[in-house]
Amino acid sequence: MGENVALGRGVLRRARTYVSGRPTTQKAGAGVAAALLASAPFGGLAAVPEPPPGTLRLGQPIQVGPYEMVIDQVVELPDLAPAVTPQPSERVLVLDAHVTLTGDRPEYAVTLTNHVTVAGGGVEVEGRPSLYFVEDSSRMSGFNPGLTYRLALTFTTSGPWQGDVVTVRTNLVEFREEDRQTLDPDAWVGRDEVEWQGSLPLVRRT
Amino acid sequence: MRRTVASAALVIAAMGLGRLINDHVPLGDSADRPFVSTGEVGRPVVLDYAEVTVTAVHVTPTVMGNPASASGGRWLVVDTELLARTRPTLMSGFFLVDAQDHRWIASTRGSECASSASLSTGVRHYASFCFDVPRRALGGARLVATRGAWTSHESEFRRDAVADVDLGIAGSEVDDLWAQQEPLDVRESGPVPPGEARR
């Protein structure tokens, strides 16, 4: 017992001597590291939690990168001829929306369609959505700024939607002024982070 | 020792000169800038690969078709006559530049509205480009025509020949043009002159 106490005191003395011989900067660094370790049980080393997505509702203006989008209704149809004509077993899910390009330069529609998804309903959603004018069923490929259009964001699903709500999500899309990796400056870039999410009521039409 | 100091001074001077050139000589501009030929409505702009003539300019809220297409703002429709001079040429870049130097891209909504033109050598090609624009884009608008499509970096027509045609819309005319309600029948693109196509 007495030997163990003497041994412990010896270790402590050597440690104290070692520490006192270190420069001040090393002592400060070690102190910070020790404080971080001590805070670990209380979440000190845990990643900062991402903020939850905003709640998406019908009629609510949201920003998807450079686009302001207001979803007026979500509709399921057997087809949207002449724009979309799926297989008889499939369905077309339409986000009926008003979209405005903000900013001061044109943008292509993929900047919007690549960052809107739907989920739920017990069906598979095929690929990315397409964008059509409600008025004349023509495809929307490029926007000029400052104009508002009523557009159909269309998803083809593997079958009839089960249930009465559709989960709609939009990803965070940020403007990147510089990118040394891709040499692609001044571009809108989608992040793998949901910015808006909501359960919207589904309207069925035959 | 003296030699070492001289070498160091030489290196520092060379670095300073490089920095001076980098800061004050517009190398990027001269490397990227297209070769612009300007023109006006009714006069051909001669590029090394094509002749570009704007033959008419229309402003309308509706482009006829099946169904008709209403604009979000107004349709600015630019009729063109294009001619490939030496070889078959694809022209994919037709966009507007307004008085504030903002860009506006063409729409493909109207069934006859073109977004590009595939030209056979020596055969005149007629195409109309439809731009859905807000009021602020009309005054002083110019059509820019080139081979590369417009992108946000404008990188597809670097050092290429570009036609820049003033559409002749004065600021004082904008209100009257905006108030026009007559729908427009856009002519079909192709080698047939618009006069003959309507007969």
Side-chain angles (χ1 to χ4, degrees):
Chain A
M1 181 69 181
E3 284 179 6
N4 285 344
V5 170
L7 188 66
R9 281 179 181 160
V11 170
L12 277 174
R13 191 169 49 249
R14 278 199 297 278
R16 200 175 297 129
T17 308
Y18 177 78
V19 169
S20 62
R22 300 291 95 201
T24 312
T25 49
Q26 284 187 15
K27 285 180 192 166
V32 169
L36 270 174
L37 276 175
S39 70
F42 311 101
L45 295 180
V48 177
E50 287 182 3
T55 304
L56 174 60
R57 297 186 178 85
L58 291 182
Q60 174 195 6
I62 61 168
Q63 202 74 25
V64 182
Y67 296 102
E68 185 185 279
M69 180 169 70
V70 179
I71 300 174
D72 299 317
Q73 58 178 341
V74 183
V75 184
E76 187 192 49
L77 302 150
D79 69 58
L80 195 66
V84 187
T85 308
Q87 299 296 318
S89 61
E90 297 174 332
R91 295 292 183 272
V92 183
L93 195 73
V94 176
L95 305 187
D96 183 351
H98 283 82
V99 180
T100 308
L101 173 62
T102 59
D104 59 5
R105 75 175 196 197
E107 298 287 347
Y108 290 103
V110 289
T111 308
L112 176 66
T113 56
N114 280 354
H115 302 109
V116 182
T117 55
V118 295
V123 292
E124 285 183 17
V125 180
E126 295 175 4
R128 298 283 181 197
S130 301
L131 200 57
Y132 297 93
F133 288 90
V134 171
E135 182 197 15
D136 58 15
S137 302
S138 57
R139 187 183 276 269
M140 174 49 136
S141 56
F143 287 79
N144 280 325
L147 302 174
T148 301
Y149 299 104
R150 186 182 173 199
L151 300 169
L153 198 63
T154 66
F155 300 83
T156 301
T157 62
S158 58
W161 198 269
Q162 308 298 312
D164 295 325
V165 292
V166 178
T167 300
V168 180
R169 297 189 183 103
T170 68
N171 274 10
L172 177 65
V173 181
E174 293 180 319
F175 191 71
R176 184 180 56 199
E177 288 185 25
E178 279 191 45
D179 185 350
R180 289 175 185 168
Q181 287 181 321
T182 66
L183 300 177
D184 188 16
D186 297 331
W188 289 98
V189 180
R191 303 292 181 204
D192 192 17
E193 181 184 330
V194 177
E195 187 175 27
W196 294 96
Q197 175 174 312
S199 297
L200 306 182
L202 178 65
V203 177
R204 290 189 174 82
R205 295 206 185 125
T206 54
Chain B
M1 178 68 182
R2 192 177 289 171
R3 197 170 172 181
T4 309
V5 170
S7 298
L10 202 66
V11 168
I12 290 169
M15 287 169 68
L17 184 66
R19 180 62 188 261
L20 210 65
I21 291 170
N22 210 34
D23 286 353
H24 297 287
V25 179
L27 296 173
D29 283 356
S30 57
D32 295 348
R33 200 178 290 167
F35 300 94
V36 179
S37 300
T38 57
E40 58 192 52
V41 176
R43 291 197 174 173
V45 176
V46 181
L47 308 175
D48 59 351
Y49 53 87
E51 275 182 31
V52 176
T53 310
V54 172
T55 54
V57 178
H58 318 268
V59 178
T60 175
T62 311
V63 164
M64 295 305 289
N66 185 21
S69 294
S71 60
R74 289 291 184 274
W75 292 112
L76 176 59
V77 180
V78 183
D79 295 341
T80 62
E81 181 181 313
L82 308 163
L83 176 68
R85 300 180 67 211
T86 55
R87 67 189 67 171
T89 301
L90 174 65
M91 292 186 71
S92 301
F94 293 88
F95 59 93
L96 289 183
V97 179
D98 70 14
Q100 285 74 46
D101 209 35
H102 291 147
R103 273 58 171 157
W104 306 90
I105 55 176
S107 170
T108 53
R109 279 181 73 196
S111 52
E112 305 300 348
C113 293
S115 57
S116 63
S118 184
L119 311 178
S120 302
T121 313
V123 179
R124 293 193 183 277
H125 182 93
Y126 302 88
S128 296
F129 299 90
C130 308
F131 300 90
D132 190 357
V133 293
R135 184 193 294 250
R136 67 177 186 271
L138 291 180
R142 292 147 30 217
L143 176 77
V144 175
T146 183
R147 287 184 283 199
W150 183 87
T151 65
S152 57
H153 300 131
E154 303 201 352
S155 57
E156 303 298 312
F157 45 88
R158 284 176 182 160
R159 294 188 68 76
D160 199 3
V162 164
D164 185 327
V165 183
D166 186 347
L167 300 181
I169 303 175
S172 58
E173 293 177 293
V174 168
D175 286 346
D176 288 344
L177 291 170
W178 193 263
Q180 287 180 177
Q181 294 298 317
E182 187 80 10
L184 182 72
D185 239 335
V186 177
R187 67 190 189 180
E188 187 180 358
S189 296
V192 182
E196 291 178 26
R198 286 188 184 125
R199 272 191 216 125

